[in-house]
Amino acid sequence: MKYSALKGIHDIFPPDSFIWQHVENTAKEIFSSYGFHELRPPIIESTEVFVRSIGESSDIVEKEMYTFNDKAGRRITLRPEGTASVVRCYVENHLYNLPSPQKFFYSGPMFRYERPQAGRFRQFYQIGAEAFGVFDSIIDAEILSLLKLFFERIGLKELNFQINSIGCDVCRPDYRKALIDFFSSKLEALCPDCRRRYEINPLRILDCKVPDCIKLKEGAPVVIKYLCKECIEHFDSFQAYLNLLNIPFNINPNMVRGLDYYTRTTFEVTCEHLGAQNAVAAGGRYDKLVEEFGGPKTPAIGFAAGMERIISLLKNSGSIKIPAPRIFIASLDFESGKKALSIANNLREKGLWIELGYPGNSLKSQMRRADRVSAEYVFIIGEDEIKLGKLKWKKLSDKSQGEISFSEIDSLISNN
RNA sequence: GUGAGUGUAGCUCAAUGGUCAGAGCACUGGACUGUGGCUCCAGGUGUUGGGGGUUCGAGUCCCCUCACUCACCCCA
C-alpha cells in the first residue's frame, strides 16, 4: 500500500459516520435546550493562546502540540483543546458586553502529538460547552445535568459522575503547601514520576496508580479540608443542586485536573468499558482565565467530551440503527433501465432514498443487493412490465408482493 | 519519550524448520432461463510488512527497520 493516514489519525466513513451524525445532532439538540449556542473558533491559533491558558509547564504545551512557523515566521499551533480558543474569542469580540450569561458549544478536531492507544489519538474530536458569567454553582449543576441528559439521549449507560473542588487562588496555595509538607518525608519512597510531580504539580501525586504510591498517600491532606469559606459554600450548594436533580455522583478528592486554568469545581464522567483512557467527558470551572486573557473579571465553567470514546461505547452497545433505502429499483435491460432511472428521479425529488440496481447484473444479484442494503421495497421492471405499463413490487420484510401501474406509484408510497 | 505484544488473501485467522502457504467470511456466476436471507457447486489475488543473516532448506530461528495494538507518561 502506497499511502496511509498518519499515525494516530483516522478516517471516518460509513457506517460509523452515521453514528457520528447521530451523536452530533443529538448534542446540538440537547445543548440548545440549555441555551448553549454554537461557536466556531478556528482550529489554529497563535501558540501563545494555548501556552497562556493551558500552562507553560503542562505536558500538552511542553511536548504535545503541533506547532510550526507560518510563512511570515509567526508561531502557529493546531489546537490541542477548545477552551482556550473560546475564551480568546469571547474576550477579543467583547462578548462579555452581551447579556450575561453567555453559553456556547463547539465541536471539531483537536490535535496532540501523543503515542496513540485505546481511546487516544493524535487527531481526535471533542464536543465541548462553555458558560461565562455565573458565579453560582447552579450553573455547575446545569452543566452536569446537560451531560447526563445528553448521554442518556444518545444511549450511553453505566456512566460514573465524579466531582471535586480544587479550591481557588485563596485556598489552593495552603493546600499545595500542606501536600508538599506531607510528602517531603516520603520522597525517597515515591515512584520516579511522583518525584517529578512533587516538583512540578504536587496535586498530581494524588492520582498516581503505582501501588506503593497509593499506600503512601494514605493520610495525605484532603483538599476539601483546606477549602476557604467561599469555596466550601460553592461546593456544598453544588452538591445540593445535584441531589435535587437526582444526578448520582461521587466525590473524588484525588481527581485533580491537569490543565492549569481550573479553579473550584472539577468533574469527570467515566465509563468502565473504555480501557485505560476511561473519561468520556471532563471539565471544570475556570474563574480567572477570562481576566488573564485581558477581559473583565468573569467566572466560567466548561467541559469537553471525547467523540471517539463515545462512538466506541455506542458501537459496542450495538444500539444505533443504520439508515436504509426506502426503495430498490431492479431493472433488466436498456428500456426498463431507463424507466427505473426516471422513476428513481421522481421519487428522489420527493425526498425518498432510492437505490438503483443495474441491468447488467442478474435479477438475483440485484435482489441480493437490495437485501444487503436493507431496502424496504424492491421494484422490479423488465420487458413485460414495460409492455403492460406496470411494475412488480415486493416488500422484503414480509415477502408480500403485487403489481402497480407506473401512474399509481405515488399512492403506494403515501399509503405505506 | 518508555515498555510489552502482533504483522500471512479485501476482512478474521490456520500452517512441527521440509513438497505447490491454506480455510472461513465477503465478492461474482451457476443449480433456480425474472425474485433476497438458507443450502450446494465453481471462480483468485499473496513480493507471508520491508531488509539482512543462520541453514541443504525460513511464514517459522536471529538481527535491523517500519507499521499496528496495548500500557506507562499525560489526558477527552
Side-chain angles (χ1 to χ4, degrees):
Chain A
M1 204 172 315
K2 199 165 182 187
Y3 300 111
S4 57
L6 299 173
K7 183 194 276 286
I9 298 183
H10 299 289
D11 301 305
I12 300 158
F13 48 87
D16 283 11
S17 46
F18 289 117
I19 307 179
W20 282 75
Q21 286 174 351
H22 167 67
V23 173
E24 285 165 350
N25 293 340
T26 307
K28 284 175 189 175
E29 189 185 312
I30 302 293
F31 291 17
S32 299
S33 73
Y34 282 79
F36 286 75
H37 303 303
E38 186 167 20
L39 186 155
R40 300 196 187 196
I43 64 171
I44 56 176
E45 298 273 358
S46 18
T47 302
E48 199 61 18
V49 169
F50 302 113
V51 174
R52 286 292 298 279
S53 61
I54 300 167
E56 196 98 37
S57 66
S58 70
D59 272 36
I60 292 179
V61 167
E62 272 190 346
K63 48 191 191 195
E64 293 179 358
M65 295 206 303
Y66 280 91
T67 294
F68 58 93
N69 292 326
D70 74 4
K71 288 179 191 283
R74 303 177 187 93
R75 296 294 279 167
I76 305 287
T77 295
L78 268 62
R79 63 178 180 192
E81 60 112 38
T83 302
S85 297
V86 175
V87 172
R88 195 226 77 231
C89 168
Y90 181 81
V91 173
E92 178 176 352
N93 295 291
H94 314 291
L95 301 182
Y96 44 78
N97 286 330
L98 296 169
S100 178
Q102 287 291 312
K103 296 176 283 188
F104 308 102
F105 74 85
Y106 60 85
S107 73
M110 309 293 163
F111 303 85
R112 288 182 203 171
Y113 192 86
E114 301 183 276
R115 197 81 167 258
Q117 72 184 74
R120 177 205 274 168
F121 312 97
R122 288 187 173 176
Q123 176 175 334
F124 59 102
Y125 290 74
Q126 288 186 333
I127 290 186
E130 317 285 351
F132 296 92
V134 184
F135 275 111
D136 195 297
S137 66
I138 200 164
I139 191 91
D140 306 38
E142 275 189 283
I143 293 260
L144 287 209
S145 151
L146 177 158
L147 276 168
K148 180 165 176 271
L149 183 58
F150 169 54
F151 288 134
E152 274 171 10
R153 201 54 68 79
I154 57 177
L156 276 194
K157 298 186 178 95
E158 298 175 60
L159 300 173
N160 304 308
F161 288 75
Q162 298 183 55
I163 63 167
N164 193 21
S165 175
I166 57 169
C168 60
D169 53 0
V170 173
C171 49
R172 190 153 24 149
D174 290 345
Y175 178 59
R176 190 186 153 100
K177 187 169 181 304
L179 271 182
I180 290 173
D181 289 347
F182 177 81
F183 284 114
S184 61
S185 60
K186 305 171 161 49
L187 216 47
E188 291 302 308
L190 288 170
C191 72
D193 283 328
C194 279
R195 288 204 288 274
R196 215 185 63 240
R197 291 175 181 126
Y198 181 84
E199 302 295 334
I200 299 168
N201 185 355
L203 274 66
R204 297 210 63 88
I205 298 174
L206 294 174
D207 55 10
C208 181
K209 291 158 204 147
V210 175
D212 286 349
C213 294
I214 291 175
K215 269 184 214 153
L216 285 170
K217 67 195 183 202
E218 278 171 22
V222 179
V223 62
I224 295 164
K225 298 233 168 84
Y226 287 78
L227 296 180
C228 62
K229 186 159 171 287
E230 284 73 20
C231 285
I232 287 172
E233 282 172 10
H234 189 271
F235 195 44
D236 286 348
S237 57
F238 177 38
Q239 292 173 56
Y241 293 133
L242 291 178
N243 287 327
L244 178 78
L245 291 166
N246 284 319
I247 299 173
F249 62 90
N250 296 312
I251 297 174
N252 179 355
N254 293 337
M255 186 183 62
V256 293
R257 312 257 70 239
L259 281 55
D260 282 2
Y261 53 65
Y262 286 116
T263 53
R264 291 193 171 170
T265 305
T266 60
F267 56 88
E268 204 166 293
V269 185
T270 59
C271 182
E272 284 164 22
H273 303 295
L274 271 176
Q277 311 302 318
N278 67 350
V280 286
R285 191 167 262 282
Y286 48 96
D287 291 340
K288 310 291 292 178
L289 193 55
V290 171
E291 231 178 317
E292 277 173 37
F293 268 59
K297 194 169 176 161
T298 307
I301 180 168
F303 71 85
M307 279 292 287
E308 286 82 355
R309 295 177 189 180
I310 292 170
I311 303 289
S312 90
L313 288 170
L314 287 179
K315 275 170 78 174
N316 292 337
S317 77
S319 57
I320 305 295
K321 293 197 290 257
I322 304 302
R326 198 71 191 285
I327 299 165
F328 186 99
I329 309 180
S331 59
L332 298 168
D333 58 19
F334 181 61
E335 286 306 318
S336 57
K338 286 197 294 190
K339 189 66 190 172
L341 188 58
S342 74
I343 292 173
N345 244 26
N346 286 336
L347 294 174
R348 284 164 176 165
E349 282 171 5
K350 296 188 193 336
L352 296 179
W353 178 3
I354 309 297
E355 284 294 324
L356 279 181
Y358 300 104
N361 295 336
S362 67
L363 179 61
K364 186 185 183 68
S365 76
Q366 293 186 58
M367 289 295 291
R368 192 157 45 218
R369 200 180 124 224
D371 184 53
R372 290 293 301 277
V373 298
S374 304
E376 195 176 345
Y377 288 93
V378 178
F379 285 179
I380 298 166
I381 309 174
E383 223 174 323
D384 300 345
E385 285 75 14
I386 296 292
K387 266 187 223 148
L388 297 169
K390 51 174 76 167
L391 58 75
K392 296 203 168 100
W393 60 265
K394 179 169 188 177
K395 191 171 183 181
L396 290 181
S397 55
D398 62 7
K399 298 181 175 179
S400 62
Q401 51 186 320
E403 292 184 349
I404 189 169
S405 69
F406 293 137
S407 55
E408 289 172 328
I409 290 170
D410 288 353
S411 67
L412 176 81
I413 300 306
S414 52
N415 292 340
N416 290 277

